Amino acid sequence: AQTVTQSQPEMSVQEAETVTLSCTYDTSENNYYLFWYKQPPSRQMILVIRQEAYKQQNATENRFSVNFQKAAKSFSLKISDSQLGDTAMYFCVLDSNYQLIWGAGTKLIIKP
Amino acid sequence: NAGVTQTPKFQVLKTGQSMTLQCAQDMNHNSMYWYRQDPGMGLRLIYYSASEGTTDKGEVPNGYNVSRLNKREFSLRLESAAPSQTSVYFCASRTNRPTNYGYTFGSGTRLTVV
């Protein structure tokens, strides 16, 4: 069975600090995508960053970057210069054969 | 604005009542999905439609039915609502374009069954 595990239920950091959210996954597939989605209190599900498994280069989107370790099946998200608007639930998601497997989420709180 | 539109945003039902959640996308995507999100959890797949005219069960299909009305619209029906179906429901569509592969989600429907 394919699984996604987020071991940090909740994290909090000061504004402007850097924070890393952890994610491990398990799949027997060789081709897949990994995503980080952000869900603020508004409930909207927002794509933060995407990683294709066959690409060795780690994806980056402005202040957001990932550390993708395919052999270790690890996919962590780093948020640099954190902002108050980054406060949200963050979900690590595995897309394998067009089926999304979701982690339980990490609640991230950015303190002023 | 292009995207996925869900209606209604909130709904309260009595046990045994029926209702249909509507979803429409204007991005010309082939694949559409219905998920539910329970407190403290990620999303779980109820049903999906890989293309117009096809639907398949996901992880938690019991108590639900779906209709892919056309390429744009994918509805979810609860025939006889139960308190266990209290949840937030998300519709999503997926693009296959390699340069922009991913899923777009609607804003969700908060359903309470009393």
Side-chain angles (χ1 to χ4, degrees):
Chain A
Q2 300 179 111
T3 59
V4 174
T5 302
Q6 293 179 249
S7 59
Q8 304 150 312
E10 184 169 329
M11 298 184 70
S12 66
V13 298
Q14 295 293 137
E15 190 177 8
E17 289 185 346
T18 295
V19 59
T20 298
L21 280 58
S22 301
C23 173
T24 58
Y25 62 94
D26 190 23
T27 180
S28 58
E29 301 293 328
N30 196 43
N31 294 319
Y32 51 89
Y33 284 84
L34 290 159
F35 304 97
W36 279 97
Y37 276 92
K38 166 185 176 181
Q39 186 177 38
S42 67
R43 196 173 71 204
Q44 182 70 45
M45 203 64 77
I46 302 166
L47 176 65
V48 174
I49 201 163
R50 168 199 309 113
Q51 177 76 45
E52 298 160 79
Y54 70 88
K55 287 189 176 180
Q56 293 185 336
Q57 185 174 6
N58 289 325
T60 61
E61 287 287 344
N62 300 315
R63 298 183 294 108
F64 300 88
S65 61
V66 298
N67 183 3
F68 174 49
Q69 301 290 327
K70 189 173 183 179
K73 295 182 179 176
S74 171
F75 184 60
S76 61
L77 174 70
K78 185 172 81 170
I79 305 174
S80 303
D81 186 26
S82 57
Q83 301 175 359
L84 296 179
D86 295 333
T87 292
M89 283 289 290
Y90 286 80
F91 292 96
C92 179
V93 186
L94 166 67
D95 180 359
S96 177
N97 291 325
Y98 309 126
Q99 302 284 322
L100 294 182
I101 311 300
W102 294 71
T106 296
K107 184 177 182 180
L108 177 64
I109 299 170
I110 309 299
K111 297 179 288 187
Chain B
N1 292 333
V4 177
T5 302
Q6 281 183 243
T7 56
K9 294 190 183 304
F10 300 93
Q11 184 72 49
V12 178
L13 290 178
K14 293 182 179 179
T15 298
Q17 286 185 319
S18 62
M19 78 161 297
T20 299
L21 280 63
Q22 307 287 350
C23 175
Q25 53 93 7
D26 57 5
M27 297 170 286
N28 202 35
H29 291 171
N30 286 320
S31 301
M32 298 185 71
Y33 303 79
W34 276 105
Y35 291 90
R36 62 178 286 172
Q37 183 180 28
D38 297 312
M41 299 178 66
L43 277 60
R44 292 185 294 167
L45 182 65
I46 305 171
Y47 271 93
Y48 67 99
S49 171
S51 62
E52 186 178 355
T54 68
T55 60
D56 288 284
K57 294 178 180 179
E59 181 185 356
V60 288
N62 292 342
Y64 306 94
N65 285 302
V66 291
S67 295
R68 184 72 183 267
L69 304 171
N70 47 55
K71 191 171 186 178
R72 291 187 63 248
E73 298 173 287
F74 187 39
S75 62
L76 177 72
R77 182 161 178 84
L78 287 71
E79 291 290 352
S80 179
S84 61
Q85 294 178 304
T86 293
S87 189
V88 178
Y89 291 84
F90 287 93
C91 178
S93 67
R94 177 174 60 81
T95 177
N96 287 338
R97 294 181 181 179
T99 55
N100 196 30
Y101 178 83
Y103 298 75
T104 302
F105 288 85
S107 57
T109 297
R110 181 176 294 279
L111 174 67
T112 302
V113 183
V114 298

